[in-house]
Amino acid sequence: MRSPECTAWHPASWQGRPAQQQPTYEDPAALAQVVAELSRLPPIVVSWEIEALRERLAAAQRGQAFLLQGGDCAETFADCESDSIAKKLKILLQMSLVLLHGLKKPIVRVGRMAGQYAKPRSAETESRDGVTLPSFRGDLVNRPEFTAAARRADPQLLLRGYERAALTLNFARALVDGGFADLHHPEYWDLGFVKHAPLKDAYQRIVQSIGDALDFFEGISGRRVHEASLVDFYASHEGLHLLYEQAQTRFIPRQDRWYNLSTHMPWIGMRTAKLDGAHVEFFRGISNPIGIKIGAAMDAAWLQGLIGTLNPQDQPGRLTLIHRFGVRDIESALPKMIDAVRQSGQTVLWVCDPMHGNTETSTAGLKTRRFENILKEVDLAFRIHAEHGSRLGGVHVELTGDDVTECTGGARGLTDADLQRAYRSTVDPRLNHEQALELAMLIAERSQSRRLVHL
Ligand code: PEP
Ligand code: CO
């Protein structure tokens, strides 16, 4: 294989490599016109924000911060509305306060938001009743209805996705900057589930002490916490649709580097991480901090190849490895990956995605995940990293601020039978806002005992 570093990089150099998971467009001229338009439109984020995030991720690598990355499996254009965005932001900010309290370090908040519109699929096509059509690849590409017209890849959707990403981030930024005041104070949180939880006393203690800490801070500073510019928020999505990502990639003369300005932190999905593939070629030339999803199929040589290609200078904050093995495989798979990174001599940020290795099918045929498995994988991840002289520096979760019933378990003990009630995801099952907050509380609660063990 040709060494990737030997060839000159430019935003379209990935086109010389095999590109997985890309839609086929019927009208190349219409596609080219859209890509040209996207290349002219202003960027969604700017390079200095990206650099600020990279520095915060570098702090997380040193153990001085913790990453909370979360949001929908796939955003939809229909959900680009104020209530849904505000609720998602709210749960992320609430979780971050709970984690700050438990882990005693600043939390870096990164939404799977403002651009998470393209999905990898296990099959190119889908067949129903003898009819075969292209798979639905997310709102950026085509439409979910099972008709030939809906499943046709439509280049105009790239523009609609860009616009909605910008609208979403604009609103999220305004909420964060403008206070969103009820967000910080637990007395305004919706904590009805707490009384159903076996650990309700512990949860109440966490909530009480967050309230006390905020009162104390606001008392001595004379300012509400959001006015102290302590809250920042970043966007991330899977960098899957390479023409879309390419169109928003710009050379920033002041930094003398290329940046993908469609988001702060794009990640490479598990299905597109081939060392000689188009995605790795594209990602190697952008200066953003990037994530790589790591599954059980990855071996040491592959991971070391990715690290060498994507971060040859060992730049702090550049690489976040998001492992998603599932409770069944994490104990056998993760130690090998930790060793592989150690042998590479490079620094990475380790993050656990306890969602994608724990998907199963409910008795009624719905895709679901058990809260207990999600929690257990996070627990195992903390333990395995500590036992191997490494450090878990963040979590990556699929969640929504809405009251859905897609994952089972949690304080309210949702069962398979409850899933029908409010199952809304067309892709992966998400934690609802109660389950998400409870996960943060359990991580916070258990970190107290972990700290005692490691004293
Ligand atoms: C996802 O994050 O929604 C996803 C598809 O993950 P992975 O690439 O890890 O399977
Ligand atoms: Co998903």
Side-chain angles (χ1 to χ4, degrees):
M1 194 187 79
R2 203 164 34 130
S3 160
E5 298 87 68
C6 298
T7 52
W9 185 91
H10 56 91
S13 60
W14 62 268
Q15 295 185 18
R17 301 285 176 96
Q20 291 170 297
Q21 301 283 343
Q22 303 305 293
T24 307
Y25 290 91
E26 283 164 14
D27 184 348
L31 176 65
Q33 203 182 349
V34 164
V35 172
E37 190 169 346
L38 271 176
S39 308
R40 270 195 317 272
L41 286 163
I44 291 175
V45 303
V46 290
S47 63
W48 60 87
E49 294 167 346
I50 295 175
E51 286 301 318
L53 174 59
R54 198 175 52 70
E55 276 168 27
R56 299 216 54 204
L57 295 170
Q61 288 178 338
R62 297 190 300 269
Q64 294 161 348
F66 190 81
L67 173 67
L68 170 64
Q69 187 175 19
D72 285 305
C73 181
E75 292 178 287
T76 64
F77 291 177
D79 271 348
C80 181
E81 44 101 28
S82 56
D83 196 43
S84 171
I85 297 167
K87 281 185 176 153
K88 214 174 334 176
L89 193 63
K90 187 164 170 172
I91 184 62
L92 283 169
L93 297 200
Q94 289 172 345
M95 287 174 83
S96 72
L97 275 183
V98 171
L99 290 173
L100 165 67
H101 170 78
L103 298 168
K104 310 273 182 261
K105 20 179 113 156
I107 307 299
V108 186
R109 302 174 196 86
V110 178
R112 279 178 69 115
M113 263 173 96
Q116 176 55 15
Y117 294 122
K119 293 307 294 175
R121 300 312 306 257
S122 41
E124 290 281 314
T125 58
E126 182 183 344
S127 299
R128 291 189 201 171
D129 304 323
V131 180
T132 299
L133 294 174
S135 294
F136 173 56
R137 292 184 174 275
D139 283 2
L140 196 66
V141 174
N142 55 3
R143 299 176 175 83
E145 298 81 42
F146 195 72
T147 63
R151 292 297 174 89
R152 195 178 57 86
D154 178 357
Q156 286 298 316
L157 296 177
L158 296 169
L159 285 166
R160 301 293 87 78
Y162 159 83
E163 289 155 3
R164 275 174 163 70
L167 293 170
T168 303
L169 196 57
N170 178 57
F171 186 51
R173 287 188 210 273
L175 289 175
V176 168
D177 289 350
F180 212 5
D182 61 347
L183 209 92
H184 302 98
H185 281 266
E187 55 270 31
Y188 299 107
W189 296 5
D190 193 0
L191 290 166
F193 72 97
V194 167
K195 58 179 176 297
H196 300 278
L199 288 180
K200 74 168 180 295
D201 293 345
Y203 293 176
Q204 255 142 10
R205 270 199 311 277
I206 292 174
V207 167
Q208 179 68 42
S209 61
I210 290 173
D212 291 348
L214 288 167
D215 288 344
F216 179 72
F217 172 83
E218 293 180 349
I220 58 165
S221 70
R223 287 183 297 174
R224 300 292 303 235
V225 69
H226 61 266
E227 291 163 3
S229 303
L230 293 175
V231 180
D232 47 17
F233 180 75
Y234 299 96
S236 70
H237 65 247
E238 179 172 349
L240 184 68
H241 193 300
L242 289 174
L243 280 174
Y244 179 82
E245 305 299 330
Q246 173 196 319
Q248 284 278 301
T249 296
R250 312 279 159 87
F251 185 75
I252 306 297
R254 200 169 50 84
Q255 311 266 17
D256 198 25
R257 292 192 290 188
W258 292 89
Y259 287 85
N260 176 355
L261 301 177
S262 76
T263 192
H264 299 111
M265 182 190 187
W267 76 84
I268 306 181
M270 199 191 63
R271 292 162 192 78
T272 48
K274 286 226 169 73
L275 205 45
D276 54 358
H279 289 79
V280 170
E281 171 60 15
F282 173 74
F283 273 76
R284 109 181 141 87
I286 57 171
S287 305
N288 308 52
I290 60 178
I292 311 173
K293 290 287 204 91
I294 310 283
M298 192 167 285
D299 60 20
W302 183 356
L303 181 55
Q304 287 165 347
L306 287 172
I307 293 174
T309 303
L310 293 166
N311 194 20
Q313 315 291 341
D314 197 14
Q315 190 188 29
R318 160 76 168 165
L319 278 190
T320 296
L321 302 186
I322 308 165
H323 53 78
R324 29 90 80 226
F325 296 118
V327 267
R328 267 204 319 272
D329 291 336
I330 185 169
E331 285 169 288
S332 58
L334 181 55
K336 292 182 221 153
M337 296 292 104
I338 295 173
D339 280 351
V341 171
R342 179 167 301 115
Q343 281 165 19
S344 76
Q346 294 232 25
T347 319
V348 302
L349 176 63
W350 286 106
V351 169
C352 174
D353 164 358
M355 314 299 292
H356 288 89
N358 292 316
T359 314
E360 54 188 293
T361 307
S362 77
T363 38
L366 289 166
K367 234 186 185 187
T368 190
R369 292 165 174 152
R370 295 176 204 216
F371 185 83
E372 72 206 53
N373 286 343
I374 293 168
L375 176 64
K376 189 158 173 221
E377 184 165 355
V378 175
D379 267 344
L380 285 168
F382 273 111
R383 205 194 72 207
I384 295 166
H385 279 290
E387 284 174 3
H388 289 78
S390 173
R391 185 190 295 114
L392 185 70
V395 287
H396 178 118
V397 278
E398 288 185 340
L399 54 81
T400 166
D402 297 323
D403 186 17
V404 300
T405 55
E406 297 170 5
C407 294
T408 58
R412 288 194 197 270
L414 294 184
T415 63
D416 264 17
D418 292 312
L419 295 181
Q420 326 276 354
R421 185 156 50 79
Y423 196 101
R424 298 233 302 272
S425 177
T426 51
V427 273
D428 288 339
R430 302 158 296 177
L431 295 173
N432 63 31
H433 77 278
E434 291 185 344
Q435 291 167 326
L437 193 55
E438 186 173 8
L439 180 67
M441 287 187 173
L442 286 162
I443 295 173
E445 167 67 15
R446 290 168 186 212
S447 68
Q448 315 277 358
S449 41
R450 268 192 298 272
R451 249 199 312 279
L452 292 178
V453 171
H454 292 290
L455 279 179

